[in-house]
């Protein structure tokens, strides 16, 4: 992780304006075609959630602005972004995970399985690793939502927040809405659009 020199950054005024807002996050909900990802998961008997989350993380890690974090009024650039997903237990309580990202899908799925086992066998809310070089995400496979609001602490936050809705069959496609919220001091609509394109590309592989 390295620190960015804000004084020489071409987004300095942008950052100074939006970072002063009480709630600098903005969010959108985007539909994605998850047909191929779902088919791959079924054929290979692996987690559908794991497959689309890996596609999401690959897209996130390809965009520099999603790697920016605000730490002590400075901007740091993370080397790799991991996934902190909410994982439900069999008793319907939940815990937060920290799933190490890997470009290899099978390694990532193994990391996800290990976190699922850890959470199922404990009542800890937070994972042993609880850093900000991640995204916060959750799946709501029971609800086909078209909008979503994430909770915020009121403190300075810069971790992107995502939520994945129920996948719904539409004609010959399986569609899933994804809500994404980002700190506008670091990420603009252009970067959201770029994420949308890259995520869909990964889902189609």
């Amino acid at each position: 992780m390295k620190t960015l020199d804000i004084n020489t950054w071409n987004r300095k005024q942008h950052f100074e304006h939006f970072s002063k807002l009480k709630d600098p996050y903005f969010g959108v909900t985007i539909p994605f075609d998850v047909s191929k990802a779902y088919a791959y998961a079924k054929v290979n008997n692996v987690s559908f959630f794991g497959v689309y989350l890996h596609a999401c993380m690959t897209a996130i890690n390809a965009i520099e602005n999603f790697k920016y974090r605000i730490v002590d009024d400075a901007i740091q650039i993370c080397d790799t972004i991991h996934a902190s997903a909410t994982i439900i237990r069999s008793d319907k309580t939940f815990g937060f995970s920290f799933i190490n990202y890997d470009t290899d899908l099978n390694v990532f799925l193994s990391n996800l399985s290990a976190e699922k086992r850890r959470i199922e066998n404990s009542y800890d809310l937070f994972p042993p690793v609880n850093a900000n070089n991640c995204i916060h995400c959750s799946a709501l496979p029971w609800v086909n939502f078209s909008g979503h609001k994430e909770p915020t602490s009121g403190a300075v936050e810069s971790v992107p927040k995502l939520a994945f809705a129920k996948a719904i069959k539409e004609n010959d496609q399986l569609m899933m809405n994804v809500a994404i919220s980002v700190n506008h001091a670091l990420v603009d609509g252009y970067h959201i659009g770029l994420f949308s394109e890259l995520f869909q590309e990964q889902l189609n592989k």
Side-chain angles (χ1 to χ4, degrees):
M1 183 180 291
K2 62 181 180 180
T3 301
L4 183 70
D5 185 352
I6 296 177
N7 292 320
T8 62
W9 193 30
N10 62 0
R11 291 170 53 89
K12 181 186 177 194
Q13 291 186 14
H14 184 104
F15 173 79
E16 290 177 342
H17 171 72
F18 285 102
S19 63
K20 293 176 183 177
L21 298 180
K22 184 176 181 180
D23 181 7
Y25 274 78
F26 80 96
V28 296
T29 301
I30 309 168
F32 289 93
D33 181 354
V34 294
S35 306
K36 291 185 177 180
Y38 183 80
Y40 177 91
K42 290 303 177 185
V43 168
N44 292 278
N45 195 30
V46 295
S47 165
F48 172 48
F49 172 68
V51 171
Y52 72 68
L53 181 59
H54 183 262
C56 174
M57 297 310 304
T58 300
I60 290 286
N61 275 283
I63 305 169
E64 182 173 301
N65 286 65
F66 281 96
K67 294 183 173 184
Y68 294 154
R69 297 294 181 268
I70 301 173
V71 180
D72 297 329
D73 296 322
I75 299 175
Q76 294 189 342
I77 307 174
C78 302
D79 297 322
T80 303
I81 302 300
H82 307 285
S84 178
T86 302
I87 304 293
I88 194 168
R89 301 184 179 94
S90 56
D91 67 0
K92 307 310 179 198
T93 62
F94 67 86
F96 299 131
S97 67
F98 196 93
I99 307 159
N100 286 315
Y101 172 71
D102 195 285
T103 55
D104 187 311
L105 172 61
N106 291 323
V107 173
F108 182 78
L109 291 174
S110 178
N111 294 340
L112 170 59
S113 295
E115 276 294 84
K116 285 182 175 179
R117 289 193 299 270
R118 179 190 65 78
I119 290 170
E120 182 63 32
N121 291 291
S122 79
Y123 285 103
D124 295 336
L125 179 60
F126 296 101
V129 176
N130 190 23
N132 67 0
N133 59 335
C134 66
I135 63 165
H136 294 156
C137 60
S138 57
L140 284 75
W142 316 277
V143 182
N144 178 30
F145 60 75
S146 58
H148 185 268
K149 167 91 170 51
E150 291 281 358
T152 56
S153 68
V156 176
E157 294 187 56
S158 54
V159 175
K161 306 170 188 294
L162 292 94
F164 306 97
K166 180 179 182 179
I168 298 293
K169 194 78 172 181
E170 294 183 4
N171 299 320
D172 295 327
Q173 294 176 304
L174 189 65
M175 302 298 296
M176 183 177 70
N177 286 338
V178 178
I180 178 167
S181 300
V182 292
N183 189 316
H184 206 354
L186 305 175
V187 180
D188 295 335
Y190 167 78
H191 307 107
I192 295 289
L194 184 57
F195 163 76
S196 177
E197 292 177 6
L198 294 177
F199 186 19
Q200 189 62 67
E201 286 178 9
Q202 292 297 319
L203 289 168
N204 290 343
K205 287 187 175 181

